[in-house]
Amino acid sequence: MPRLLGVDIPNDKPTVFSLRYLYGVGDKVALELCHKAGIDPQKHARDLAEEELSRLAVLLERDYTVEGPLRRQVQQNINRLRDIKCYRGMRHRLGLPVRGQRTRTNARTRKGPKKTVAGKKGVKDLR
């Protein structure tokens, strides 16, 4: 498996798809990288020469923010929002959806598994 910036990229996929395994590299950036480095996007990752891999690594480090630095930057942005105690920062702190989604139903990804409330009576029991 070829390694780029400390990440193993899959052998059996075309280069343009393998590059997407890097954090911060999507469809457009992967295609741009292939063109800038002069690599055929459909060439499988296992067929890449060391020289081609080094060209990709140099391009990634020079022109793009990916992997560790990008993760650090995102975390710093979230911490800044928490520190200034803005609405979005408070939502991050409470573990609730940040971008205006409803929380009465759904939002289980952010809120975690349901917490059953003990002693809650149904509508039939109130009569």
Side-chain angles (χ1 to χ4, degrees):
M1 277 191 165
R3 278 181 79 79
L4 274 176
L5 305 178
V7 176
D8 289 330
I9 59 174
N11 275 330
D12 53 340
K13 296 187 180 187
T15 307
V16 73
F17 297 115
S18 294
L19 287 173
R20 295 183 194 174
Y21 280 72
L22 295 167
Y23 184 78
V25 177
D27 310 348
K28 186 178 176 188
V29 173
L31 200 56
E32 263 179 37
L33 277 168
C34 288
H35 287 299
K36 283 182 181 177
I39 298 170
D40 177 26
Q42 294 306 316
K43 186 177 183 180
H44 283 266
R46 66 174 165 257
D47 301 331
L48 291 175
E50 285 298 321
E51 183 255 328
E52 292 172 327
L53 284 172
S54 64
R55 269 190 289 168
L56 282 171
V58 167
L59 276 171
L60 279 166
E61 288 180 9
R62 189 184 63 201
D63 298 340
Y64 300 97
T65 307
V66 290
E67 280 303 320
L70 181 59
R71 289 179 200 272
R72 218 172 358 270
Q73 184 179 353
V74 169
Q75 199 56 48
Q76 285 172 348
N77 290 341
I78 292 172
N79 287 336
R80 179 181 51 81
L81 292 171
R82 285 178 170 188
D83 292 343
I84 63 175
K85 295 186 178 154
C86 68
Y87 181 79
R88 281 174 54 204
M90 296 308 291
R91 302 295 282 184
H92 274 292
R93 184 171 291 194
L94 295 172
L96 294 170
V98 177
R99 297 185 179 179
Q101 296 93 330
R102 67 180 299 140
T103 56
R104 183 173 179 178
T105 60
N106 303 332
R108 280 289 144 217
T109 302
R110 285 293 290 184
K111 290 168 73 174
K114 286 185 180 178
K115 300 167 197 84
T116 306
V117 179
K120 190 172 182 182
K121 295 181 181 176
V123 177
K124 291 181 180 177
D125 298 337
L126 296 176
R127 292 185 194 187

